[in-house]
Amino acid sequence: MVCRCLLIAVACCALPMAGWGQADVWEGNIANSFSEGDGKEATPYLISSGAELAYLAKGVNDGSITTSDKYFKLTNDIDLNDQAWTPIGKSYSYSFQGNFDGDNHTISNLYISKETAHVYAGLFGYYYFASDVTIKNLGITVGQLGITGKGYAGGLAGRIEGDHALTLTIENCFVTGSLIDSDCKEGISSSAGGMIGLITGPPYTINITNCY
């Protein structure tokens, strides 16, 4: 089964747009730390480059960075440069669980291949929340090579899941660009969406406002 979603760019002045400054162009390298911060709400981890964003992905996927009840904030536009991106969060056990503020910046030229996607393909692969969390003020443009997942694929997240009676808020976000494609093996379910590939789990609330 192949699930595909073709994104068409539209304009909306109320949503995040790339800033006037020069975007950081990622060359595939991984930083050793974030720019600043300690992950608290008043002093979030600051991410200023593709290398620091890749550091977050690596830390979540190998378990060296804990994201539950933590706060992360972009301080710059980031051009992922059609380099193969490994999604942030590869499974339930190694999932992203924090708050993410794009601060009206854009992450552009996102490219994910089946080799780097695991089962969950998106900027975030597996997003699991065990407390009330927010994703806000973030723009994502999918690069010309697109996103190809093995199971669940979306520009923002491949899969979102949460605990009982909690709330996930997604506000002022957009995903535009190229093809999102979920190509799974026979007998394994798959789905693809412009923003989120799959939402699952026990009863909880997701508020999505001013997004496309």
Side-chain angles (χ1 to χ4, degrees):
M1 177 187 296
V2 176
C3 299
R4 290 176 175 166
C5 180
L6 181 63
L7 303 177
I8 301 175
V10 298
C12 183
C13 61
L15 297 180
M17 298 179 66
W20 295 104
Q22 185 73 30
D24 175 81
V25 179
W26 186 48
E27 299 297 341
N29 55 317
I30 300 175
N32 296 317
S33 65
F34 300 114
S35 293
E36 297 179 41
D38 58 10
K40 296 178 181 178
E41 185 171 8
T43 52
Y45 291 120
L46 301 183
I47 299 172
S48 64
S49 67
E52 291 172 9
L53 193 64
Y55 170 72
L56 174 60
K58 179 180 182 298
V60 171
N61 293 337
D62 67 17
S64 62
I65 294 177
T66 300
T67 59
S68 180
D69 294 319
K70 299 296 184 182
Y71 292 79
F72 301 82
K73 185 177 182 178
L74 288 186
T75 61
N76 197 21
D77 294 328
I78 296 174
D79 181 355
L80 292 179
N81 198 26
D82 285 316
Q83 300 282 331
W85 176 252
T86 299
I88 304 168
K90 64 180 182 180
S91 66
Y92 172 84
S93 298
Y94 297 94
S95 57
F96 182 81
Q97 301 181 20
N99 299 269
F100 197 92
D101 181 4
D103 197 31
N104 295 321
H105 292 294
T106 298
I107 296 172
S108 60
N109 292 318
L110 174 63
Y111 160 56
I112 301 172
S113 68
K114 286 192 292 186
E115 288 70 31
T116 61
H118 309 295
V119 177
Y120 309 103
L123 177 67
F124 298 95
Y126 200 122
Y127 195 123
Y128 180 86
F129 58 100
S131 59
D132 293 339
V133 294
T134 298
I135 307 170
K136 62 182 181 180
N137 306 326
L138 176 63
I140 298 170
T141 63
V142 180
Q144 292 184 353
L145 298 176
I147 294 174
T148 303
K150 297 178 182 178
Y152 306 102
L156 178 64
R159 177 172 180 169
I160 289 179
E161 183 178 357
D163 275 350
H164 287 276
L166 295 175
T167 299
L168 167 64
T169 299
I170 303 175
E171 59 187 14
N172 302 328
C173 296
F174 70 79
V175 178
T176 63
S178 188
L179 185 70
I180 296 176
D181 184 355
S182 180
D183 187 2
C184 68
K185 296 180 180 179
E186 184 176 354
I188 301 176
S189 61
S190 69
S191 60
M195 185 162 284
I196 302 165
L198 175 69
I199 298 173
T200 187
Y204 52 78
T205 301
I206 296 182
N207 295 321
I208 301 177
T209 58
N210 204 30
C211 297
Y212 64 87

